[in-house]
């Protein structure tokens, strides 16, 4: 009987391809087998035919396995397994950075191949639970401190999960992340551990994630020196942003909605992670200095950093603060509309914070809860309002 997976074997060595084909023919998970003799052919094949798994060599003429993986993962949802003689941390890490999901070292046994295919199957099953599509990644960030980024991620995550959405909250606020605290969970895990051992990034992320409730998982940020050292061992010395962006991508494999807390918009991780996100929500409050920073910050995001304007929206928190500027006036000055206006409610916010719960669980009819519900609706629609003319 034919198995469910279509596998593409990419290697410039015809003998190796033939040997691998024999192994795959004996493999119960495999149906169709395709071949390509270099990276360029591999990208062409995967963009034409539906491929589930790619076994990708690293050193090849015309286009090597790393560039091919980077291109192929843009055009195909295939699960790429790097195949290399060089059992070097370096290749593995670079392969993961360009979108590979797994790694096999030549020569390998039928059992090792089978285990890797099993992991690919598990990843496919997870994808079909999400309707075959990766989850939507929404990143919260801010140009000030204390605007409410972390609170909003925690509250929205709990709210979305209460509607039976599979939600993953990812704390990308390296060193200072406190999302676990707002969600009321204690753990020593973090996404730094994803990079320490080899294997599928999504699988590893699932291991690092902490279950908050039925439909909500949290991936805490690396904050301790030990966790930061793990990131370095994973090869991300000066590249924490890279690691964070890959984590955000991998999290899409775990849930329908991924909510990331990126902390400061110009911090170590936010700029890189922003390029991976589907939507970026900048949280601000209505005081003059904050709005000044916001205006300048938005220019940096869309101008200097080249983010598409439609991906960036602003959420005004504590919009009715006494002495704050009226939202209408702010919108005019900024030349854009806010995606949501959330009222100040210090008592409720503090209570939610102290209990590690969301405001909707404490006071379901409060104004803050109601505006949070409309924010979630906007986020789920992917609706970003157009610029005011
Ligand atoms: N709408 C609100 N009304 C009153 N207090 C709020 C509101 N939103 C957040 N807070 C409070 O603001 C403080 C800072 O929030 P936090 O989410 O940690 O900000 P950030 O992550 O942007 O630094 C917290 O004490 C939180 O309870
Ligand atoms: Mg925060």
């Amino acid at each position: 009987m034919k198995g469910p997976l279509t596998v593409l074997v990419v290697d410039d060595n015809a003998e190796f391809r033939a040997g691998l084909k024999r192994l795959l023919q004996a493999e119960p998970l495999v149906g169709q087998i395709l071949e390509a003799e270099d990276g360029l052919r591999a990208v062409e094949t995967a963009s034409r035919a539906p491929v589930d798994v790619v076994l990708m060599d690293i050193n090849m003429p015309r286009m090597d396995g790393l560039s091919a993986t980077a291109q192929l993962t843009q055009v195909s949802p295939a699960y790429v397994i790097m195949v290399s003689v060089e059992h070097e941390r370096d290749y593995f890490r670079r392969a993961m950075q360009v979108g590979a999901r797994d790694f096999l070292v030549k020569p390998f046994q039928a059992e090792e191949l089978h285990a890797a295919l099993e992991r690919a199957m598990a990843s496919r099953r997870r994808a079909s639970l999400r309707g075959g599509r990766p989850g939507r990644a929404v990143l919260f960030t801010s140009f000030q401190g204390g605007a409410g980024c972390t609170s909003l991620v925690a509250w929205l995550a709990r709210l979305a999960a209460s509607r039976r959405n599979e939600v993953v909250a990812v704390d990308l606020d390296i060193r200072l992340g406190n999302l676990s605290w707002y969600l009321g969970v204690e753990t020593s895990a973090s996404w730094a551990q994803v990079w320490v051992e080899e294997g599928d990034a999504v699988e590893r992320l699932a291991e690092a994630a902490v279950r908050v409730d039925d439909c909500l998982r949290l991936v805490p940020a690396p904050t301790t020196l030990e966790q930061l050292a793990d990131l370095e061992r994973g090869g991300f010395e000066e590249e924490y942003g890279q690691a964070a962006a890959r984590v955000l991508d991998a999290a899409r494999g775990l849930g329908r909605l991924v909510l990331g807390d990126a902390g400061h918009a110009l911090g170590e991780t936010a700029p890189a992670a922003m390029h991976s996100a589907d939507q970026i929500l900048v949280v601000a409050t209505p005081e003059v200095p904050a709005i000044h920073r916001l205006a300048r910050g938005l220019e940096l995001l869309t101008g200097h950093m080249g983010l598409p304007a439609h991906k960036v929206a602003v959420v005004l928190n504590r919009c009715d603060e006494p002495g704050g500027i009226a939202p209408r006036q702010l919108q005019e000055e900024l030349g854009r509309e806010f995606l949501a206006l959330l009222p100040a409610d210090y008592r409720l916010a503090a209570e939610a914070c102290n209990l590690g719960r969301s405001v909707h669980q404490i006071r379901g009819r409060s104004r803050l809860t109601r505006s949070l519900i409309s924010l979630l609706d906007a986020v789920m629609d992917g609706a970003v309002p157009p610029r005011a003319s």
Side-chain angles (χ1 to χ4, degrees):
M1 209 183 90
K2 279 196 146 198
L5 297 174
T6 296
V7 180
L8 170 61
V9 178
V10 189
D11 203 301
D12 55 327
N13 182 331
E15 224 173 288
F16 180 79
R17 284 204 309 273
L20 191 47
K21 233 174 123 171
R22 275 194 298 279
L23 271 186
L24 289 167
Q25 275 157 354
E27 170 54 60
L29 288 173
V30 175
Q32 206 186 350
I33 306 167
L34 305 169
E35 290 179 62
E37 70 225 25
D38 60 47
L40 207 59
R41 286 278 166 77
V43 178
E44 280 167 17
T45 308
S47 55
R48 273 189 279 108
V51 172
D52 299 301
V53 176
V54 181
L55 290 163
M56 181 79 84
D57 185 26
I58 290 185
N59 292 309
M60 289 179 291
R62 295 219 295 168
M63 186 188 285
D64 70 23
L66 291 173
S67 325
T69 300
Q71 292 196 17
L72 192 147
T73 49
Q74 300 291 314
V75 296
S76 159
Y79 183 99
V80 179
I81 303 171
M82 298 310 282
V83 179
S84 169
V85 275
E86 339 236 9
H87 187 201
E88 280 168 3
R89 185 90 235 157
D90 205 41
Y91 276 119
F92 163 67
R93 188 205 340 142
R94 279 166 55 201
M96 300 294 272
Q97 285 171 356
V98 294
R101 302 284 296 275
D102 216 333
F103 201 83
L104 279 173
V105 182
K106 281 189 216 176
F108 48 83
Q109 306 296 313
E111 298 76 55
E112 291 169 76
L113 178 63
H114 179 76
L117 293 172
E118 283 278 14
R119 291 193 289 271
M121 278 296 288
S123 151
R124 221 173 71 142
R125 273 195 296 273
R126 276 194 307 263
S128 74
L129 284 178
R130 300 185 311 271
R133 286 188 321 221
R136 175 172 175 74
V138 181
L139 200 65
F140 285 73
T141 189
S142 168
F143 290 97
Q144 49 189 112
C149 266
T150 309
S151 315
L152 292 187
V153 169
W155 300 341
L156 281 174
R158 281 204 183 267
L159 185 61
S162 74
R163 296 186 184 173
R164 312 300 301 163
N165 290 294
E166 207 41 70
V167 183
V168 189
V170 188
D171 194 345
L172 298 174
D173 194 1
I174 198 165
R175 295 177 208 276
L176 296 173
N178 54 357
L179 183 57
S180 59
W181 203 70
Y182 281 82
L183 285 170
V185 292
E186 259 179 75
T187 168
S188 58
S190 88
W191 49 260
Q193 74 195 57
V194 171
W195 309 107
V196 177
E197 280 169 59
E198 299 183 1
D200 177 18
V202 180
E203 211 77 59
R204 301 256 155 235
L205 196 66
E207 284 166 24
V210 194
R211 199 152 273 290
V212 181
D213 72 23
D214 260 7
C215 290
L216 173 58
R217 276 182 282 186
L218 161 72
V219 187
T223 51
T224 64
L225 285 178
E226 221 169 57
Q227 290 167 340
L228 292 169
D230 276 350
L231 267 188
E232 275 157 35
R233 278 201 289 149
F236 292 97
E237 292 84 11
E238 302 294 320
E239 292 287 342
Y240 295 159
Q242 271 266 13
R246 296 287 307 137
V247 160
L248 195 66
D249 279 339
R252 293 164 193 272
L254 290 182
R256 166 150 189 251
L257 181 65
V258 178
L259 297 174
D261 177 6
H264 198 285
L266 302 180
E268 282 173 286
T269 52
M274 281 183 206
H275 287 281
S276 298
D278 295 301
Q279 188 174 26
I280 296 141
L281 297 188
V282 181
V283 185
T285 51
E287 307 91 38
V288 173
I291 291 303
H292 209 84
R293 288 172 74 92
L294 173 66
R296 180 80 194 101
L298 290 172
E299 268 172 38
L300 286 174
L301 297 193
T302 52
H304 182 68
M305 283 169 52
L307 290 166
H310 69 86
K311 265 179 49 167
V312 183
V314 182
V315 172
L316 192 66
N317 194 15
R318 303 198 285 259
C319 65
D320 55 351
E321 198 124 67
I325 310 168
R328 238 187 133 80
Q329 191 186 337
L330 291 176
Q331 292 189 151
E332 268 166 38
E333 272 169 38
L334 288 168
R336 63 156 72 222
E337 282 181 31
F338 297 120
L339 181 66
L341 299 174
L342 303 167
D345 188 335
Y346 289 96
R347 239 178 102 165
L348 181 53
E351 214 173 318
C353 206
N354 293 339
L355 296 172
R357 304 236 122 198
S358 164
V359 292
H360 79 272
Q361 295 172 301
I362 297 169
R363 268 206 291 290
R365 287 160 187 273
S366 66
R367 283 174 60 224
L368 183 52
T369 298
R370 272 184 282 138
S371 53
L372 202 68
I373 291 171
S374 7
L375 174 56
L376 181 63
D377 290 338
V379 163
M380 295 304 273
D381 280 353
V384 179
R387 286 179 78 91
S389 49

